[in-house]
Amino acid sequence: MYTVEYEWDNVEIVILDDDGYEDDLHIDVEESGVYISQWNTIINEESSIRISHKQWLELIAAINSPEGAFVIRKRKS
């Protein structure tokens, strides 16, 4: 299960583990980048990373790609 909320300055996505083994995955898409975080029970605090928008788009594309190396090029406007 997941939720998506649109705010005026970001998009917040929360992905839940339907089996209840993992803590919720939080994804905040903001102008400055994409923040991915999850509660870390070992250190008892939130662990997060920031990736660029291009990395985010490549991650989404990679999920549905076959094995191999790929380059995503910007379209000319």
Side-chain angles (χ1 to χ4, degrees):
M1 175 180 170
Y2 64 90
T3 63
V4 180
E5 293 184 38
Y6 291 92
E7 301 290 333
W8 67 275
D9 61 346
N10 75 324
V11 176
E12 182 179 320
I13 302 166
V14 178
I15 302 171
L16 290 76
D17 177 13
D18 295 335
D19 296 325
Y21 296 113
E22 303 295 337
D23 287 309
D24 298 351
L25 183 65
H26 293 262
I27 301 163
D28 290 304
V29 182
E30 300 179 2
E31 187 175 325
S32 60
V34 179
Y35 298 84
I36 302 171
S37 61
Q38 185 178 41
W39 185 258
N40 184 324
T41 55
I42 295 170
I43 60 175
N44 206 31
E45 65 181 38
E46 194 86 12
S47 295
S48 64
I49 63 170
R50 184 181 111 181
I51 62 174
S52 71
H53 291 281
K54 186 170 188 275
Q55 287 175 304
W56 173 248
L57 294 175
E58 288 179 347
L59 172 63
I60 292 168
I63 289 169
N64 295 312
S65 293
E67 185 175 6
F70 304 89
V71 175
I72 296 177
R73 298 176 195 258
K74 280 189 169 182
R75 292 184 190 181
K76 293 182 181 179
S77 311

